[in-house]
Amino acid sequence: MANTILHKADTRGYANHGWLKSHHTFSFANYYNPERVHFGVLRVLNDDQVAAGRGFGTHPHDNMEIISIPLEGDLEHKDSMNNVAVIKKGDIQVMSAGTGVYHSEYNRNSDKETKFLQIWVFPNKKNVTPRYDQMTLDIADRRNRLQQILSPNPEDAGVWIHQDAWFNIGTFDAGTTANYDIKRQGNGVYAFILKGDFEIDGQTVNQRDGLGIWNTKSIALKALTQDAEILLMDVPMTL
């Protein structure tokens, strides 16, 4: 039998730093909930809003796969590997922190905020050489279907990370259905609703809710509202 856990949007941790408003699905910084430390290897899911012209100063990471998914606006990235890049909606960015890296992230817009998801995944290899990658995806390819944006394989669609994980995004018309097959035995799926409402395996989930499902081979999706958008994160359940 499939096991599930539902995290309603209004039960997430919240931090308001003025320039940054952040909702934490899992324990992060000053938000700690012993029942919400991680979902398998999925360690952090932060839903961030960054004020115009503001951002995160240079700070370190190590031994973590860090994925950024812009939702609105532009985000400028700089790191100790001499990468300088800007990402926007439709892009996905990944950084394998490995032995250690420093980076900063800024909203380069002077007149509007930037919204993005920052996701951390525990790697399956420690102390790798740090690496950076980003990709622009065709948003049209996720209309009424799931578009793969991340995998463990550099030759596969999307960016890749040091973990047996697959991410997909889809935007659906109301009433549209889709099935997703778990890619690897022992993996579970964490579904995060970016916009609108869905029914997942018969359970209704709303905007910014998270639903974790494991001990199953596939899940069934149905969009309940127009232009409903979902992120599926297929990850190992054991660290």
Side-chain angles (χ1 to χ4, degrees):
M1 294 289 292
N3 292 322
T4 64
I5 187 166
L6 176 64
H7 296 140
K8 296 297 291 181
D10 61 2
T11 66
R12 295 177 295 171
Y14 179 66
N16 185 345
H17 301 285
W19 65 273
L20 170 68
K21 298 173 183 177
S22 183
H23 286 91
H24 311 307
T25 294
F26 302 107
S27 296
F28 185 83
N30 292 328
Y31 168 64
Y32 177 71
N33 181 337
E35 296 180 355
R36 293 196 193 182
V37 176
H38 61 93
F39 177 83
V41 301
L42 177 60
R43 174 60 188 87
V44 166
L45 174 54
N46 286 349
D47 187 1
D48 291 343
Q49 298 173 241
V50 182
R54 301 295 298 274
F56 302 86
T58 302
H59 58 281
H61 292 284
D62 64 70
N63 288 317
M64 193 67 70
E65 303 294 300
I66 300 169
I67 301 108
S68 295
I69 303 175
L71 304 175
E72 291 180 23
D74 305 314
L75 192 70
E76 182 178 89
H77 166 98
K78 295 181 180 179
D79 64 41
S80 54
M81 297 175 283
N82 297 317
N83 295 298
V84 179
V86 175
I87 55 173
K88 59 187 183 303
K89 185 174 174 65
D91 294 347
I92 181 167
Q93 176 198 82
V94 64
M95 188 170 64
S96 299
T99 55
V101 67
Y102 287 82
H103 79 135
S104 63
E105 297 160 297
Y106 281 90
N107 178 357
R108 65 197 302 265
N109 300 294
S110 60
D111 58 345
K112 59 182 179 181
E113 66 181 12
T114 288
K115 299 179 181 179
F116 77 108
L117 300 181
Q118 183 161 105
I119 301 165
W120 296 5
V121 174
F122 289 114
N124 56 16
K125 297 178 182 176
K126 284 197 169 186
N127 298 321
V128 300
T129 300
R131 56 177 281 272
Y132 174 88
D133 193 17
Q134 74 177 77
M135 182 176 291
T136 299
L137 303 160
D138 187 348
I139 292 178
D141 288 343
R142 64 185 65 163
R143 189 78 205 180
N144 289 322
R145 59 183 174 181
L146 293 166
Q147 177 191 45
Q148 183 174 289
I149 63 171
L150 176 149
S151 80
N153 186 353
E155 306 304 318
D156 208 351
V159 294
W160 67 276
I161 63 172
H162 294 283
Q163 187 52 269
D164 293 321
W166 290 260
F167 287 11
N168 285 263
I169 289 182
T171 304
F172 295 90
D173 296 330
T176 304
T177 60
N179 289 307
Y180 177 77
D181 295 328
I182 311 299
K183 294 289 193 295
R184 174 183 173 272
Q185 186 174 358
N187 275 21
V189 171
Y190 195 87
F192 187 68
I193 311 304
L194 295 169
K195 182 181 177 184
D197 305 318
F198 280 86
E199 185 178 277
I200 303 177
D201 284 353
Q203 181 156 358
T204 299
V205 281
N206 309 113
Q207 187 162 302
R208 292 314 208 255
D209 289 352
L211 179 67
I213 306 174
W214 65 103
N215 289 348
T216 189
K217 293 182 178 179
S218 65
I219 61 172
L221 310 174
K222 181 179 181 179
L224 301 179
T225 52
Q226 186 62 23
D227 297 325
E229 189 171 12
I230 191 169
L231 168 64
L232 297 182
M233 292 165 279
D234 181 339
V235 297
M237 292 305 294
T238 53
L239 299 179

